[in-house]
Amino acid sequence: MYLRWHNGKEELVYEPEETIEDIEFLAIKLKELNSRPLLESFDGVWGIPAGGTVFAVCLHYRLGLPLLLAPTMRSIVAEDIVNTGKTISHYMERGMFCVSLFYNPNSICEPNMWRRKKENNIWVRFSLWEGDVDNEKISTNYKSTWEETEDRSV
């Protein structure tokens, strides 16, 4: 990871090697969560679009759990970063198990498991799936549209 200035603000570049190491770390922690086989505890992995989807696919392969098309009460809900907590709070309020790579302590909720603490208001660039291009507007537009049309019955 390294800090850089991009478009007039500081951002943390989370490099692919570190991302993979952290996914491996969280997969091990999930396996150690209890003595029961994972399939008895969780029925699969689902990721919050868009970064959570990539993270969920990685966990799916490492944990040997099904990749789900929608979350269930027994699924692992994956998110790349819990920044404000607004997105993940929907699932946490229902008692779903949530895991993230980054967690902002100023968030309105804390995921059940996370790897790194986000400091300050620094933008985290997940270069493994975001690349090195300026796509903040794409991500912002996607989130706002998704939040408006989200199926809240899950």
Side-chain angles (χ1 to χ4, degrees):
M1 281 185 286
Y2 63 93
L3 291 172
R4 73 174 184 186
W5 282 94
H6 182 71
N7 288 340
K9 64 181 179 180
E10 195 174 31
E11 74 176 12
L12 177 69
V13 179
Y14 188 40
E15 297 186 280
E17 299 80 18
E18 295 164 313
T19 307
I20 292 166
E21 286 173 12
D22 287 350
I23 290 169
E24 296 286 348
F25 176 87
L26 288 168
I28 290 167
K29 291 295 179 193
L30 284 162
K31 288 177 183 177
E32 294 172 348
L33 201 55
N34 60 44
S35 58
R36 297 183 301 178
L38 276 175
L39 274 174
E40 289 181 23
S41 301
F42 303 109
D43 60 2
V45 183
W46 178 78
I48 296 173
T53 305
V54 179
F55 181 29
V57 169
C58 294
L59 288 175
H60 147 74
Y61 281 111
R62 283 159 179 82
L63 299 174
L65 291 172
L67 183 63
L68 304 173
L69 297 176
T72 69
M73 293 304 295
R74 289 186 48 237
S75 62
I76 295 170
V77 176
E79 178 65 305
D80 56 356
I81 185 168
V82 175
N83 194 23
T84 65
K86 291 178 185 175
T87 303
I88 208 165
S89 67
H90 169 72
Y91 307 98
M92 297 212 54
E93 288 168 0
R94 286 159 178 74
M96 296 178 183
F97 190 92
C98 298
V99 61
S100 69
L101 290 164
F102 278 83
Y103 160 67
N104 181 348
N106 296 319
S107 168
I108 60 172
C109 61
E110 182 176 348
N112 301 93
M113 186 180 288
W114 50 273
R115 177 64 175 143
R116 296 184 183 270
K117 195 177 286 186
K118 180 182 181 264
E119 303 296 331
N120 307 317
N121 288 327
I122 295 174
W123 176 271
V124 177
R125 178 171 304 281
F126 294 86
S127 59
L128 183 62
W129 47 86
E130 291 180 341
D132 195 36
V133 296
D134 182 15
N135 60 9
E136 293 173 35
K137 291 180 180 154
I138 294 170
S139 184
T140 301
N141 288 340
Y142 177 78
K143 284 284 189 180
S144 63
T145 303
W146 181 75
E147 287 173 357
E148 292 168 10
T149 61
E150 179 182 6
D151 180 3
R152 298 197 182 274
S153 64
V154 175

